[in-house]
Amino acid sequence: MATHFTKTRILSRVKANKGLWFLRPSTLLSNPSSPTKPQNGNLGRLMPFVLGRRYKSVEAGDPCNVEDGDQVLDFPGGRVALSPEMRFLPESAEERISCYRVLDDSGQLIEGSTFKDISKELAIKMYSQMVTLQVMDTIFYEAQRQGRISFYLTSIGEEAINIASAAALTGDDVVFPQYREPGILLWRGFTLQEFANQCFGNKADYGKGRQMPIHYGSNKLNYFTVSSPIATQIPHAVGAAYSLKMEKRNACAITFFGDGGTSEGDFHAAMNFAAVMDVPIIFICRNNGWAISTPTSEQFKSDGVVVRGQAYGIRSIRIDGNDALAVYSAVHAARDMAVSECRPILIEALTFRAGHHSTSDDSTKYRPADEIELWRTSRDPTARFRKWIERNDWWCDVDESALRTNLRKELLHAIQVAEKVEKPLLKELFTDVYDELPSNLSEQERELRRLIEKHPSDFPTDVPCRWLVMSASLEHLLMSSFYLFDSQMI
C-alpha cells in the first residue's frame, strides 16, 4: 500500500513499510534503500540486528594495497576502493525511502507490523493527552481571535508526534523544541494553568512575560524554552548531548524542527558535529510539507530529510508521523540506540499541518482547502488512534464525552484565572541576564519610565510600573553630579 502526500505543484508517493528499518550510515549511495532491518518478531528483538558502522582511519603505509584483486587506497577516514570506471553517483535513488507505519488510516493494525507493545493504561493516557492538546489548541486559538492573547500557534494534525514521542522518552532526557511541541510539556506534567499563565504573560509565567505566547519552557521538566529563530535549538541540543556523554548520564537529548529548519546552516552543522562526536541525540524532523507558505518542493530536491542523515553518517528512519504507534515504537527504539550505543539518530516524521501556521497566517491562500480538509478528517492522528483503542475495548463514546467536557471546563477556568493575575513588574524586563545591571540597561529603564510618565495612554495599563517620582530639576542635579539615581519599584 502507499501513503500519498499531496502538495501544491507536487504529488509524491512514499511506499508504506510495516517493518521498523533504520538506514545504515555506511550504506553505499548506489544502494541507498538498503536498510537495517529487524528479523521476524517483536521490537524487543530489534536491537541486535540494527547494526551500523563508521569508517575508521588506517595506519600509514603503502597508499595503494590490493585486496581480493581490487586496488584499495589508504586514505584518512578509511580505505577507498579504486575503480578504472568513471561513474557519477545519481542525484537520487530510483525508489524513495519507505515510510514505517503500524496503523492504517482506519486504525487497523497492518498485518505483520513490528512495533513496541503498549499497555491499556499507557494507550489511554496517550489518547487522553492527544485530545487535551487538541482541545487546548482550539480554545487558545479562539482566545486569540477574541483579542484576549496576542498570538497563538497550534499543533493540530501533529498530536501523535507530540504525545507518542514524549511517551517513549524518560524525564531525564532533555528536550530542545521548536515551537510546535507543547505536548511534550503536557506529558511531563505541565498544567493547563501553567500554559495559560504563559500565554497571558502574567507574573506566574516562568518567563516573566518577556516572551510571546507559546514560547514555553520548564527547567524542572528538562524542556528548554522555545526560541522563535528557526533551527537555533538544533546545535544547542547537540552540545547538551555531548555534555550528557561526558557525564556518562543514562539519558539523551532530543530536538524537534520542521522541514524548513533543514534549510538552515545550523541543521547541517549540528548533524555533522553529532555524527563526528558520537553524541546521544535524537533529531526529529516534523516534515509537514510546508515551511509556512514554502512547499518542500522549493526547499530541496532530495528524497526528503531522511537521506540527509545517511549522508552525514547518522542512522535514520522515515515514519508516518500521524501514526501514534509508529511514532512511539520508532522513538523508543531510537532512544535505546542513542543511549546504549552513544550515537545520533535522525527520524523524519511525515505529517501535515492541518491548521494555519499561526494566528498571523491564512494557509488557504497557498494550500487547497480540500487538501486541508482531507488531512483534518481522513488522516487525523487522534481519530486514528481512537479507532485502535476502541477496537481493543479500551474506550467508548461515554469516555470521550466526559473527557472533552471536563477539559473544556478546566481550560476555560484556567484562562479566567490567568486573565486576573497581575502582570510582572516593569523592572523584570531588565533582570535575569546580568548579575549586576550594566549602566546602559539602567539608562534604558530610566528612559522607559520617563516615557510612560510622559505618555501614559500609549502604554498598557495593567503592567505595574509604580516608582519614586522625582522632579526634572532634581534628576538633572543628580545626573550632573555623577550620582546615578536608579528608580526603585515601591
Side-chain angles (χ1 to χ4, degrees):
M1 63 187 300
T3 303
H4 300 265
F5 291 85
T6 309
K7 317 267 195 311
T8 304
R9 292 169 301 209
I10 182 170
L11 173 64
S12 56
R13 293 163 81 83
V14 180
K15 184 178 180 182
N17 170 35
K18 61 187 178 182
L20 186 55
W21 295 9
F22 285 83
L23 296 176
R24 289 183 178 178
S26 57
T27 302
L28 294 177
L29 289 179
S30 58
N31 186 22
S33 61
S34 177
T36 297
K37 177 183 178 182
Q39 291 189 352
N40 293 333
N42 59 31
L43 191 60
R45 300 186 211 149
L46 171 68
M47 299 305 299
F49 302 99
V50 188
L51 302 176
R53 64 183 177 86
R54 61 181 294 176
Y55 296 111
K56 296 182 179 180
S57 298
V58 295
E59 296 180 359
D62 186 353
C64 290
N65 295 318
V66 177
E67 294 184 0
D68 298 327
D70 295 324
Q71 282 196 325
V72 178
L73 174 66
D74 284 346
F75 190 79
R79 294 182 174 182
V80 181
L82 299 175
S83 171
E85 177 185 358
M86 183 173 65
R87 184 180 62 174
F88 289 86
L89 294 175
E91 63 277 9
S92 61
E94 292 183 3
E95 291 187 11
R96 298 194 68 184
I97 301 300
S98 61
C99 178
Y100 169 59
R101 169 186 263 199
V102 177
L103 297 175
D104 63 20
D105 288 340
S106 63
Q108 290 270 22
L109 273 176
I110 298 174
E111 186 177 354
S113 299
T114 302
F115 65 97
K116 176 74 175 175
D117 290 331
I118 63 174
S119 65
K120 173 183 177 180
E121 292 72 24
L122 179 58
I124 291 177
K125 181 180 178 181
M126 287 171 61
Y127 177 71
S128 298
Q129 298 276 267
M130 291 170 72
V131 172
T132 301
L133 183 57
Q134 204 173 65
V135 174
M136 183 176 80
D137 277 346
T138 301
I139 292 179
F140 279 138
Y141 191 91
E142 292 171 353
Q144 192 281 334
R145 287 301 189 234
Q146 295 167 2
R148 300 167 82 174
I149 58 177
S150 61
F151 176 82
Y152 197 71
L153 184 150
T154 72
S155 303
I156 295 173
E158 302 181 28
E159 295 89 352
I161 296 175
N162 270 253
I163 301 302
S165 63
L169 302 172
T170 72
D172 292 330
D173 299 327
V174 292
V175 180
F176 289 78
Q178 188 178 15
Y179 42 58
R180 220 178 289 277
E181 293 83 29
I184 311 289
L185 268 180
L186 187 65
W187 182 269
R188 293 190 172 194
F190 209 69
T191 67
L192 297 181
Q193 190 62 62
E194 288 175 304
F195 281 112
N197 290 337
Q198 196 285 324
C199 287
F200 280 87
N202 60 37
K203 69 178 184 180
D205 169 26
Y206 301 130
K208 300 183 180 180
R210 303 183 185 113
Q211 273 280 21
M212 293 170 61
I214 66 88
H215 287 63
Y216 312 110
S218 174
N219 184 48
K220 179 176 123 179
L221 300 177
N222 281 330
Y223 188 96
F224 280 71
T225 303
V226 172
S227 179
S228 285
I230 299 300
T232 55
Q233 76 279 7
I234 308 178
H236 298 165
V238 175
Y242 190 35
S243 174
L244 293 173
K245 176 181 179 178
M246 290 190 295
E247 294 175 357
K248 295 180 171 30
R249 298 269 299 278
N250 186 32
C252 69
I254 182 167
T255 183
F256 295 81
F257 47 92
D259 45 277
T262 67
S263 296
E264 296 286 341
D266 281 343
F267 166 78
H268 297 277
M271 292 281 284
N272 192 54
F273 189 98
V276 172
M277 303 307 294
D278 282 325
V279 300
I281 184 172
I282 305 172
F283 299 96
I284 295 187
C285 174
R286 295 176 292 93
N287 184 352
N288 59 28
W290 296 88
I292 306 184
S293 60
T294 304
T296 54
S297 59
E298 295 181 13
Q299 292 187 71
F300 41 73
K301 291 189 68 174
S302 62
D303 180 9
V305 178
V306 67
V307 294
R308 299 186 179 197
Q310 193 175 27
Y312 280 110
I314 293 178
R315 191 172 294 169
S316 310
I317 188 172
R318 170 179 283 158
I319 65 174
D320 182 349
N322 285 21
D323 180 352
L325 281 184
V327 174
Y328 176 78
S329 299
V331 175
H332 192 280
R335 186 191 181 277
D336 283 347
M337 288 186 282
V339 174
S340 64
E341 301 176 32
C342 204
R343 67 162 61 245
I345 304 291
L346 170 65
I347 297 176
E348 178 188 18
L350 301 183
T351 183
F352 190 83
R353 169 169 50 82
H356 305 299
H357 175 75
S358 71
T359 50
S360 303
D361 174 52
D362 180 3
S363 62
T364 62
K365 299 295 184 183
Y366 53 85
R367 301 190 302 184
D370 56 350
E371 178 187 18
I372 300 173
E373 185 61 23
L374 171 67
W375 284 88
R376 271 184 173 273
T377 54
S378 302
R379 295 174 183 166
D380 176 58
T382 306
R384 188 196 300 191
F385 195 57
R386 177 186 175 180
K387 292 172 184 176
W388 181 71
I389 61 173
E390 284 181 333
R391 284 194 176 92
N392 290 326
D393 292 327
W394 295 346
W395 198 254
C396 64
D397 289 342
V398 175
D399 298 324
E400 184 76 13
S401 178
L403 174 63
R404 290 185 178 272
T405 299
N406 292 334
L407 281 173
R408 185 170 181 81
K409 288 180 181 178
E410 187 177 351
L411 275 160
L412 292 176
H413 176 71
I415 287 176
Q416 292 169 356
V417 170
E419 281 183 313
K420 295 175 183 178
V421 176
E422 194 176 49
K423 300 298 183 184
L425 297 173
L426 185 68
K427 68 176 183 180
E428 297 291 2
L429 279 174
F430 304 93
T431 60
D432 296 335
V433 176
Y434 297 96
D435 182 36
E436 295 183 12
L437 204 64
S439 59
N440 65 314
L441 289 185
S442 296
E443 175 57 30
Q444 287 180 30
E445 183 180 359
R446 284 193 294 273
E447 179 63 21
L448 177 58
R449 295 185 184 285
R450 285 193 292 267
L451 286 172
I452 295 175
E453 183 181 11
K454 186 176 180 180
H455 307 285
S457 62
D458 294 336
F459 292 88
T461 58
D462 57 350
V463 177
C465 53
R466 303 177 300 276
W467 64 91
L468 291 173
V469 180
M470 54 187 171
S471 68
S473 59
L474 174 60
E475 182 179 19
H476 177 74
L477 175 64
L478 292 175
M479 293 294 290
S480 63
S481 62
F482 301 99
Y483 183 83
L484 299 180
F485 187 92
D486 284 336
S487 301
Q488 301 296 319
M489 304 299 294
I490 296 178

